Amino acid sequence: MYQFDWSSIVPSLPFLLDGLLITAKITVTAVIIGIVWGTILAMMRLSSIKALNWFAALYVNLFRSVPLVMVLLWFYLIVPNLLQNILGISPKTDIRLISAMVAFSLFEAAYYAEIIRAGIQSISRGQSSAALALGMTQLQSMRLVILPQAFRAMIPLLLTQGIVLFQDTSLVYVLSLADFFRTATNIGERDGTQIEMVLFAGFVYFVISFSASMLVNYLKKRTV
């Protein structure tokens, strides 16, 4: 019968926390950039300018049709050359982390765009008409009237997508990036406690995701 050995967890906590910090960096960066770029894409999709509408639709459909692992590999091969040749970033910079941030940000923006577009469309057209009647431009109406109301209603959905993003960050193993999950598995391979470390990593992901889900449920009740 298999004997579990949890003794390597406590001594490895500093390394696990470093990995969790990388996971947090990717998650926070992707959520912020994803929401900003997703908002722009959503407004493009609702635009009467066909070129903007087609570009946004193509972008969203492309990223939603391609596996995230493939996107990570694409950007890992493309981003380093762009950063080093165009921006002159030092080769010593951890390109894997930057590549992961860029890939997750652009990938998640496609999903955020659809959430935000639905949120904007859920606001009564009367709100926009009233803003225009007060002398606001279309852009001012969107920025000052429509988006604040839409985002208030969308907060639970945006946070839920953030939870999914946090879970998906474990896919950066394809880049050999030492995120939380990769660090845990490396420690398990080193100490011969792979089962224990994978179970511990899964428990940590569960605790964080469950806590965030409880926050989402609380916010849903507040916004109803």
Side-chain angles (χ1 to χ4, degrees), residues 134-154:
L134 291 173
M136 292 186 183
T137 64
Q138 287 280 3
L139 185 59
Q140 288 174 327
S141 170
M142 180 65 68
R143 181 170 59 89
L144 300 175
V145 178
I146 305 300
L147 284 179
Q149 294 182 69
F151 270 105
R152 185 175 183 275
M154 289 185 297

Side-chain angles (χ1 to χ4, degrees), residues 9-153:
I9 292 178
V10 174
S12 302
L13 285 178
F15 303 103
L16 291 170
L17 289 174
D18 288 340
L20 189 59
L21 180 60
I22 290 177
T23 296
K25 285 181 180 178
I26 297 173
T27 302
V28 172
T29 300
V31 167
I32 294 173
I33 296 178
I35 289 177
V36 172
W37 179 223
T39 301
I40 296 172
L41 287 171
M43 294 174 66
M44 285 182 178
R45 292 210 68 181
L46 296 172
S47 173
S48 58
I49 302 175
K50 289 186 177 181
L52 295 178
N53 191 299
W54 288 345
F55 169 79
L58 177 63
Y59 181 100
V60 169
N61 291 327
L62 174 64
F63 276 97
R64 294 184 70 183
S65 303
V66 178
L68 177 55
V69 171
M70 189 176 295
V71 175
L72 285 169
L73 290 174
W74 283 350
F75 281 91
Y76 179 58
L77 296 174
I78 296 171
V79 169
N81 290 329
L82 289 175
L83 292 177
Q84 291 172 1
N85 295 333
I86 297 177
L87 301 180
I89 291 181
S90 170
K92 296 181 180 180
T93 304
D94 191 349
I95 295 298
R96 293 172 301 176
L97 177 59
I98 297 177
S99 299
M101 287 179 174
V102 172
F104 271 101
S105 297
L106 298 184
F107 184 86
E108 290 300 319
Y111 289 86
Y112 280 123
E114 290 300 278
I115 294 173
I116 295 167
R117 181 167 71 100
I120 292 173
Q121 290 179 321
S122 70
I123 303 301
S124 170
R125 289 191 175 184
Q127 299 281 342
S128 178
S129 299
L132 295 175
L134 291 173
M136 292 186 183
T137 64
Q138 287 280 3
L139 185 59
Q140 288 174 327
S141 170
M142 180 65 68
R143 181 170 59 89
L144 300 175
V145 178
I146 305 300
L147 284 179
Q149 294 182 69
F151 270 105
R152 185 175 183 275

Side-chain angles (χ1 to χ4, degrees), residues 1-15:
M1 184 175 179
Y2 185 80
Q3 297 293 322
F4 287 96
D5 180 11
W6 307 98
S7 60
S8 62
I9 292 178
V10 174
S12 302
L13 285 178
F15 303 103

